[in-house]
Amino acid sequence: MVCYGSVIALTLLGGQCMKAIYLLSQPNGSMKLYEFVIIFGFLMLVLAQIPSFHSLRHINLISLFLCLAYSACAAAASIYIGNSSKGPTKDYGLKGDAESQIFGIFNAIAIIATTYGNGIIPEIQATIAPPVKGKMFKGLCVCYTVLIITFFTVAITGYWAFGNHSEGLLLSNFLDDGNPLVPKWFILMTNLFTILQLSAVGVVYLQPTNEVLERTFADPKSKELSARNVIPRVVSRSLSVVIATTVAAMLPFFGDINAVIGAFGFMPLDFILPVIFFNLTFKPSKRSLVFWLNVSIAVVFSALAIIAAIAAVRQIVLDAKTYRLFANV
């Protein structure tokens, strides 16, 4: 469920990047965001037919370099705009009344959980077969190193340049009423890097859903490329992409979707269930520090997850009232 929610968010983000490229050439163009989400969905539909995780290993490597490339571009553009006279007036104040700010804090916590929960797939893989260190530990180190470098670099430079006007997709800030604040070719290149990387990551996050569907509909006794297995695979994978694309087009609120995924998915998976399972599996003494530390972590993050879930749903309701379904944001 968490991985499928990520597919929805990535499909929306891909559509937003495509729209940004379109506005470079057609500042007054009539195409809407949901149309670009559908176009990106078609790209995902094709890539979704890649058979397995093993088939994606080269795509994953390319994805890593693309991630580093567009993060560097985003940071460089933010520094350039922040130092130029064309940059917006910087305002670092908090928006909204006290209630909105408090809910905003918990919404942000859920988004942060989603951000750093990206390593959940290799972490789950690491528990499948020993030895964990030999197979996955180095991969996890690389994963979180890339996460910290890219997210912190973009977040710090972006917030410095745009303050509280920073968009959920920072690349949107590089256009001011259709006027590019950096050279057009640079915006085009950054968005292309992002689209390519999103398509690769989206296919990776789609694989767990594919495995569940194929375990249900496939016949293990038949060959992988037999009609008995190919037809159910194409139909089920295509249907899952169509549903994800439809939801992304209906609710085009990237930050809100991230908050929902974090509150309902990543926070329980990363902070609550592991410490509970540790106590149940290794049964530390109830008088030990480890036992009560784990209990404390579970209780605190359970409360945070509940409040964050309420804040995330509240924000989607507020945005839906403002923008309606299939909004062109």
Side-chain angles (χ1 to χ4, degrees), residues 7 10 44 59-60 63 118 196-206:
V7 172
L10 292 166
M44 287 287 294
I59 291 178
N60 282 338
S63 173
N118 276 276
L196 291 171
Q197 200 265 349
L198 289 172
S199 60
V201 175
V203 174
V204 171
Y205 274 104
L206 196 58

Side-chain angles (χ1 to χ4, degrees), residues 19-39:
K19 182 185 174 185
I21 293 174
Y22 171 73
L23 291 176
L24 281 177
S25 58
Q26 301 288 336
N28 299 314
S30 59
M31 288 186 72
K32 309 298 183 185
L33 175 60
Y34 68 84
E35 296 176 78
F36 294 102
V37 172
I38 292 170
I39 293 170

Side-chain angles (χ1 to χ4, degrees), residues 62-121:
I62 295 169
S63 173
L64 169 62
F65 291 117
L66 288 171
C67 175
L68 294 171
Y70 75 67
S71 297
C73 290
S78 296
I79 293 170
Y80 173 82
I81 294 169
N83 284 319
S84 72
S85 58
K86 295 185 292 184
T89 303
K90 298 180 181 68
D91 181 3
Y92 302 113
L94 298 176
K95 291 182 178 181
D97 54 23
E99 179 187 340
S100 297
Q101 290 176 10
I102 291 170
F103 276 109
I105 290 170
F106 290 103
N107 211 40
I109 289 172
I111 293 173
I112 292 169
T114 303
T115 300
Y116 289 97
N118 276 276
I120 196 71
I121 290 180

